[in-house]
Amino acid sequence: MPSSVASAPRASDYKLENFRTNVQVQGDGLWTEIEIEENNAYVGQSVRNLINSQPGLSDADKLIIQRLAMKAFHIPGNSYWEDWVMFVRNNHILLSFFLSHPLHPFGRKERALNLVASLSFGLAATSSVTLWYYYNDKAMNETVISLFGAINISHGMITTAIFGGLCNVFFDFFIWFLQVCPLCQPGSPIADNLSDHTKFFWLWMGSNTAFIVTGVAICLALNVICIRASYEDDGDAEGYAHSIEDYSFLGSFFLEVIATQFIMFPIVAFTIFSGVLGCFTLPGLGGRPYQVNKMETRMRKQRQKESGPVEV
């Protein structure tokens, strides 16, 4: 299976009128090879996005790309198990580096940026919760709920989960859609009506804005880390931490990330995927059942439209 583009063009030279792409789709369209001659047009997004308007893509390929860009739970033709595996392979923050669909509009560079942004924001958010308790002289370990007398859920755990966890989820979605720009991807309702100039411009804007936001998140995380380490050292935000042990919370954070991705992610993702939270009928929370029903309704209306009115 061919892997990647031989020479990726840079944003410094984007004469759109000079670009030439050669798209080859083999078999069932599960991989696409794009050859681009030197000094071609491109504005910073993954080379995979150049497949947007290429004639080599079938309608099925375009639909797959659009569904992947939207983090959809269902791709037409897939069984329940195939949809679940597809969702995990393309949305797990670590596994997707190696198992994502070849037609996915995200390459490894975009996923690396997402990973760095997510970790930076998550570390800043959770550490900010800890600092809030420090500043207000409140106890994080105060038990609020006790389950079966063995599992104690503290005030700090609830606050961290609500503020740090939910904010991190929304931030991840923001960075994702900022880069992928689903409306510029094949299969979107307006993709065929957009010029290549317009698509490249918005992809360029999204990619560079995501890069800037990630830089801000990194700076924020570094600042919060220094402040928290100072508190861990002597209970004061002034000065610097004097021992490596004062940064031990970083190790705990990354262990939590691993546990979250390989234990909590499958549980939470499957709960949403199953649709039980939205009674199988609500957008988003309805999961795969809602999207299957919506897709079938859309296809039924399309068939009725194509067949025309029935003569009596």
Side-chain angles (χ1 to χ4, degrees):
M1 178 182 295
S3 57
S4 59
V5 180
S7 59
R10 308 312 307 165
S12 58
D13 189 358
Y14 51 96
K15 299 177 182 178
L16 295 177
E17 64 273 15
N18 292 333
F19 83 91
R20 175 183 64 82
T21 61
N22 177 25
V23 179
Q24 299 175 346
V25 180
Q26 270 196 356
D28 55 0
L30 291 184
W31 63 268
T32 301
E33 179 183 6
I34 304 175
E35 297 177 354
I36 308 171
E37 62 179 318
E38 285 188 67
N39 299 324
N40 278 348
Y42 195 49
V43 288
Q45 188 71 353
S46 169
V47 176
R48 296 186 184 196
N49 284 306
L50 285 175
I51 64 180
N52 285 352
S53 58
Q54 300 309 316
L57 289 174
S58 66
D59 291 339
D61 292 333
K62 292 180 180 180
L63 179 59
I64 290 176
I65 294 170
Q66 181 62 205
R67 302 296 286 173
L68 292 174
M70 292 296 295
K71 288 179 172 284
F73 296 121
H74 173 61
I75 292 178
N78 279 6
S79 65
Y80 194 94
W81 172 250
E82 289 171 338
D83 274 334
W84 168 242
V85 172
M86 178 77 75
F87 180 80
V88 173
R89 288 176 57 180
N90 289 282
N91 293 283
H92 192 281
I93 198 169
L94 298 176
L95 296 180
S96 60
F97 273 89
F98 313 100
L99 302 176
S100 62
H101 197 289
L103 283 179
H104 201 292
F106 259 26
R108 289 185 178 178
K109 291 182 180 179
E110 288 75 30
R111 294 188 183 279
L113 184 66
N114 269 23
L115 177 61
V116 173
S118 180
L119 292 178
S120 299
F121 185 87
L123 181 57
T126 54
S127 295
S128 295
V129 172
T130 303
L131 291 176
W132 182 85
Y133 279 94
Y134 283 152
Y135 276 117
N136 292 276
D137 196 23
K138 294 182 178 293
M140 288 188 65
N141 297 325
E142 180 183 351
T143 301
V144 177
I145 302 174
S146 181
L147 301 176
F148 311 109
I151 302 176
N152 296 324
I153 301 177
S154 66
H155 194 278
M157 292 172 63
I158 295 176
T159 307
T160 302
I162 294 176
F163 179 77
L166 288 181
C167 287
N168 204 356
V169 168
F170 286 118
F171 179 80
D172 290 348
F173 271 99
F174 171 71
I175 290 293
W176 174 280
F177 288 108
L178 194 62
Q179 288 192 90
V180 78
C181 188
L183 291 178
C184 297
Q185 300 295 341
S188 78
I190 65 172
D192 293 336
N193 299 323
L194 297 177
S195 67
D196 288 336
H197 294 264
T198 302
K199 293 177 184 178
F200 289 152
F201 172 75
W202 285 112
L203 289 171
W204 177 81
M205 282 290 293
S207 179
N208 285 276
T209 303
F211 186 81
I212 294 173
V213 172
T214 301
V216 173
I218 293 174
C219 293
L220 179 62
L222 292 175
N223 185 49
V224 172
I225 288 172
C226 292
I227 296 176
R228 181 174 175 181
S230 181
Y231 262 105
E232 296 285 346
D233 179 46
D234 55 10
D236 189 353
E238 301 295 331
Y240 302 95
H242 296 87
S243 172
I244 192 66
E245 295 179 357
D246 298 325
Y247 295 91
S248 60
F249 63 89
L250 292 176
S252 300
F253 171 78
F254 286 108
L255 288 177
E256 291 174 4
V257 170
I258 298 297
T260 298
Q261 290 301 315
F262 289 98
I263 299 177
M264 293 304 299
F265 175 83
I267 296 174
V268 174
F270 185 77
T271 302
I272 300 175
F273 174 87
S274 67
V276 295
L277 295 180
C279 299
F280 313 110
T281 58
L282 296 178
L285 295 179
R288 182 183 185 273
Y290 169 80
Q291 293 188 3
V292 170
N293 183 62
K294 184 177 179 180
M295 182 67 67
E296 290 177 348
T297 302
R298 181 186 303 171
M299 294 176 68
R300 184 167 55 251
K301 290 181 178 179
Q302 184 176 354
R303 286 194 298 267
Q304 291 174 353
K305 183 178 179 180
E306 292 175 352
S307 62
V310 179
E311 295 183 1
V312 180

